[in-house]
Amino acid sequence: MSDKERILRTLLKHFCLDNIMVPLQQFQEGLRMGGVMQMISADPDLFRSLFVKSNRHLTASIVKAMMMVTRSSTGSNRFSVENRLLSYWYDFLQDLEEGECAISLEDLLIFATGCDHEPPLGFFPRPTIEFNHQDQISMSMLPLANTCGNVLKLPVGHSTYESFRENLVLGVQCCGGFGMA
């Protein structure tokens, strides 16, 4: 083995293994102190979903079930507008699932939460859809998101599904990704 290969192997070992050993040992010790390490050792498959990213494919129905909708009072004018927008929203999710838009369900989830998949223990706080009635004066047509609070605000100024869809796609595309909006 040449000196160059030996140096490269030493550097790789240091950066890939040695650097993480102390934090990993501390993590294991913490699990042992709480009795969790013994439970994981006894049944690793039971705990796998807590430590390994799920391969579950995101679907429209998963996103729909994941998100809680905040509504105005039943019977109010705002409630009627929100009914129309919810219909647009569910159609939009279906279009995303079927690949009929320039963005994906994962892109939308990143826009709303900063994550491209649901965390193993779920979101906290739970992702919420709100309706942006505040900008009725300026009639902003683009969605707003608060990734810290997992809130997606849908604009109420859309009278057609095409306008709703076009502006949601534009809003997600133009945000530049998590931390770039």
Side-chain angles (χ1 to χ4, degrees), residues 25-91:
Q25 289 168 346
Q26 289 174 348
F27 180 63
Q28 289 175 330
E29 183 59 31
L31 291 174
R32 260 192 230 75
M33 287 174 62
V36 177
M37 189 65 165
Q38 293 80 356
M39 292 171 22
I40 292 172
S41 297
D43 193 353
D45 289 334
L46 183 64
F47 292 88
R48 186 171 315 283
S49 66
L50 295 176
F51 298 102
V52 180
K53 180 181 172 184
S54 169
N55 289 330
R56 183 171 82 158
H57 180 69
L58 208 53
T59 65
S61 59
I62 290 172
V63 173
K64 181 179 173 183
M66 182 186 304
M67 302 188 93
M68 179 174 57
V69 180
T70 301
R71 304 288 305 273
S72 296
S73 300
T74 304
S76 68
N77 290 340
R78 286 184 171 189
F79 188 83
S80 298
V81 170
E82 293 166 4
N83 276 342
R84 184 182 74 244
L85 289 172
L86 271 179
S87 173
Y88 294 168
W89 171 251
Y90 297 142
D91 288 346

Side-chain angles (χ1 to χ4, degrees), residues 4-178:
K4 184 178 178 180
E5 286 177 347
R6 190 174 43 75
I7 291 171
L8 183 60
R9 284 182 186 265
T10 302
L11 285 172
L12 283 172
K13 180 181 178 287
H14 173 73
F15 284 108
C16 294
L17 298 175
D18 297 342
N19 269 354
I20 65 165
M21 288 308 291
V22 171
L24 186 58
Q25 289 168 346
Q26 289 174 348
F27 180 63
Q28 289 175 330
E29 183 59 31
L31 291 174
R32 260 192 230 75
M33 287 174 62
V36 177
M37 189 65 165
Q38 293 80 356
M39 292 171 22
I40 292 172
S41 297
D43 193 353
D45 289 334
L46 183 64
F47 292 88
R48 186 171 315 283
S49 66
L50 295 176
F51 298 102
V52 180
K53 180 181 172 184
S54 169
N55 289 330
R56 183 171 82 158
H57 180 69
L58 208 53
T59 65
S61 59
I62 290 172
V63 173
K64 181 179 173 183
M66 182 186 304
M67 302 188 93
M68 179 174 57
V69 180
T70 301
R71 304 288 305 273
S72 296
S73 300
T74 304
S76 68
N77 290 340
R78 286 184 171 189
F79 188 83
S80 298
V81 170
E82 293 166 4
N83 276 342
R84 184 182 74 244
L85 289 172
L86 271 179
S87 173
Y88 294 168
W89 171 251
Y90 297 142
D91 288 346
F92 182 65
L93 292 178
Q94 198 59 48
D95 284 354
L96 292 179
E97 181 177 340
E98 293 170 4
E100 296 179 10
C101 293
I103 63 170
S104 66
L105 286 165
E106 288 79 9
D107 295 330
L108 180 66
L109 196 59
I110 290 169
F111 179 78
T113 67
C115 297
D116 66 351
H117 64 281
E118 188 172 12
L121 297 177
F123 284 103
F124 184 81
R126 183 176 174 193
T128 303
I129 294 176
E130 294 179 357
F131 297 93
N132 190 6
H133 294 281
Q134 309 298 31
D135 280 342
Q136 283 184 315
I137 295 168
S138 66
M139 279 308 205
S140 173
M141 301 297 259
L142 297 173
L144 300 172
N146 175 340
T147 56
C148 293
N150 293 329
V151 177
L152 176 63
K153 292 185 179 185
L154 300 178
V156 298
H158 298 285
S159 58
T160 67
Y161 172 68
E162 290 73 25
S163 170
F164 177 84
R165 175 180 153 161
E166 180 180 304
N167 281 278
L168 255 68
V169 169
L170 179 65
V172 172
Q173 285 179 322
C174 290
C175 79
F178 179 66

